[in-house]
Amino acid sequence: MKVLVVGSGGREHALCWAIQNSPLCDALYCAPGNAGIADVAQCVPIGSEDVDALVRFASDNGIDFVVVGPEGPLVLGLVDRLTAIGIKAFGPSAAAAELEGSKGFMKDILAKYKVPTAAYGRFTEPEAAKAFVRKNGAPIVVKADGLAAGKGVTVARTAEEAFAAIDEALVQGRFGAAGAEVVVEEFLDGEEVSFFALCDGETALPLVSAQDHKAVGDGDTGPNTGGMGAYSPAPVLTPDLQDRVMREIVLPTVRGMAAEGKPFKGVLFAGLMILQGPDGPVPKTLEFNVRFGDPECQTLMMRMKSDVLAALVAAADGVLDSIDLRWHDQTALCVVMAANGYPGDYVKNTEIRGFEAANAVDGVTVFHAGTKLSDDGRVLSTGGRVLGVTALAPTVAEAQARAYQAVDKLDWPNGFCRRDIGWRAVGR
Ligand code: AMP
Ligand code: GLY
C-alpha cells in the first residue's frame, strides 16, 4: 500500500514510525510532517487542514490509504471527500466527528443512549446558563461547544468564575462560533484516564489505557496544556474496569452513532473520570475525541506488537472482528519537551542537539512534535510542544528513569520538561 499520514505532531511521528514497519506498507508519505517524521516518511508540504490539496495529492499519487491524525481535517470532512473518490481512509466522517466537534451533540448522544456522564445543560443565552449555575452550585464546569484548541473548558471553583466563563463565551465571543453555545455540567471528582478503542462503524476493539499529564508544572500545577507527558498502561484502569468501559460507554456509543445514521469509524478516545463510589470505582465519560491522543499515541505505538496498519485498515473496511491485537506487557512513558514559555508565548527556531545520544538510551525513541530541518540540516523547534521522549521498560519506574536519562542527553537550552511524569503509577 501507498500510505499517507496527515498531521505534523508527535502523534503522527509515532504513527509513521509504527506504520513504516508494516509489511503492508510499500511507501509512506506524511503531510506536512516534521524533521523527525522525515526520517521515516516522505514529507509533503501540505497543511493538515488544506482538504482540497490533500485530496488532490492522494488522488494524483495513487495513495491507497490515508491515516488522519488530528481532529481538524476530520471535522472538515477529509474522510468523506476521500471516500467519495474511492480512497480508503482511517478516521470518522464529518458527521461522526461531531462527537468531538460539538460537546452539546456529544452530551445529547450520551443522554439518549444512557452512557454515564456528568449531568448537563446546553445554552445559547447567558441568563439561562447562569440560572443553571445558581441552581446547581459550584464547583461546576463550563465548556465552549466547539473546537477551541483545548482552551474552551473552565472548571469553576465558584459561581462567579462560572459566570465569567459564560460571559466570555456567549457575550464577549472569546471562542468565536465555537463558543456561541456552551455546555454547563456537573463537576466530577476523581482520577482521569484515557481509553482508546478502534471502531469500524458497528463494533469496537479495545486498545489500552493511558494517563496524560495536562498541567504544565510538576505536581500537576500551573495552566493546562495539550499534554506534558503520558504513560501506558494506566494502573487505575483495571481489566474489570476496562470491560465495564467497553460495555457501558464505548459499545453503546458506537451502536448509538450507527442508529443515528452516523456510524463511527476510526479511533474513539474516551476521556474518563474514575469516581470512587460506595461499591467501588465508577467510570464516567468526560469527553470524546475522534482521534488518538497526543502524547498518549506515542506510548500506545511503543507498546503495540501487532501490525498497526492492518488494524487501521480493518477499521476502515468494517472487519475489525478479524483482528487480534498483541501488546508488550511493558510500560511506555513519554516525557514532552516544550519550548520555554509554553503554554504562553514561546520562542521558535532554536536549535536542538543530542538526538543520537538520546535515541541510544536502551528502549528510547525520541518522537518529534514541533520541529523542522534548517537548510543546513540542523533541527529547529517550531512549536510549543516540541519533542516526546518515549521509553519502553519492564516497570513504570524503569521507563521513567530511561526517559529522563535520554532527556538529559538532549542539548536544548531553550526547552523544558516536567520532571515527574508517571508519578501516580510509580507511587502505586
Ligand atoms: P475536556 O476538554 O472536556 O476533556 O475538558 C478538559 C479538562 O477539564 C478535562 O481533562 C478535565 O480535567 C476537566 N474537566 C472537564 N469536564 C469536567 C467535569 N465534568 N468535572 C471535572 N473536571 C472536568
Ligand atoms: N493529550 C490529550 C489530547 O490529545 O487531547
Side-chain angles (χ1 to χ4, degrees), residues 11 212 214 226-227 269 287 289 291-296 385:
R11 166 182 52 211
D212 180 15
K214 289 222 164 76
F269 163 2
E287 64 161 347
N289 298 301
R291 47 161 179 92
F292 283 106
D294 187 342
E296 291 95 325
R385 291 189 297 164

Side-chain angles (χ1 to χ4, degrees), residues 143-401:
K143 303 183 173 184
D145 179 71
L147 296 180
K151 297 189 172 69
V153 175
T154 303
V155 178
R157 317 254 148 233
T158 63
E160 285 65 36
E161 263 181 67
F163 296 159
I166 288 165
D167 283 338
E168 260 182 16
L170 296 183
V171 182
Q172 291 139 30
R174 174 169 172 215
F175 307 109
E181 177 175 335
V182 295
V183 168
V184 183
E185 70 177 33
E186 173 195 6
F187 172 79
L188 300 176
D189 194 10
E191 183 170 345
E192 267 186 84
V193 63
S194 304
F195 185 73
F196 300 87
L198 294 182
C199 304
D200 66 4
E202 277 177 33
T203 182
L205 181 67
L207 301 180
V208 287
S209 62
Q211 202 162 58
D212 180 15
H213 295 258
K214 289 222 164 76
V216 73
D218 284 11
D220 292 324
T221 55
N224 269 358
T225 68
M228 291 300 292
Y231 57 94
S232 172
V236 63
L237 208 74
T238 58
D240 273 359
L241 261 179
Q242 174 172 319
D243 289 348
R244 204 166 149 187
V245 169
M246 283 301 290
R247 215 169 47 238
E248 295 180 6
I249 296 176
V250 174
L251 289 169
T253 301
V254 171
R255 292 194 193 111
M257 290 296 284
E260 298 289 315
K262 300 172 178 177
F264 187 88
K265 289 184 169 195
V267 59
L268 188 64
F269 163 2
L272 306 173
M273 193 68 98
I274 310 297
L275 310 186
Q276 286 311 321
D279 305 319
V282 181
K284 292 212 182 194
T285 317
L286 281 182
E287 64 161 347
F288 283 129
N289 298 301
V290 299
R291 47 161 179 92
F292 283 106
D294 187 342
E296 291 95 325
C297 184
Q298 290 81 313
T299 63
L300 265 50
M301 291 305 117
M302 291 277 275
R303 287 189 60 210
M304 192 181 281
K305 269 191 202 165
S306 307
D307 180 353
V308 66
L309 184 54
L312 302 184
V313 172
D317 284 343
V319 293
L320 266 185
D321 46 11
S322 67
I323 295 287
D324 176 25
L325 286 177
R326 302 292 164 96
W327 300 89
H328 291 287
D329 289 333
Q330 303 190 12
T331 294
L333 183 141
C334 174
V335 175
V336 169
M337 298 198 69
N340 288 342
Y342 176 80
D345 290 338
Y346 52 82
V347 280
K348 288 189 182 175
N349 297 319
T350 61
E351 185 177 359
I352 311 167
R353 298 177 347 166
F355 287 100
E356 210 170 309
N359 277 310
V361 175
D362 197 21
V364 167
T365 302
V366 179
F367 293 115
H368 292 224
T371 64
K372 66 170 186 195
L373 277 181
S374 69
D375 293 340
D376 55 356
R378 292 172 304 139
V379 176
L380 304 180
S381 71
T382 55
R385 291 189 297 164
V386 173
L387 301 172
V389 181
T390 312
L392 187 69
T395 66
V396 65
E398 179 69 12
Q400 189 191 51

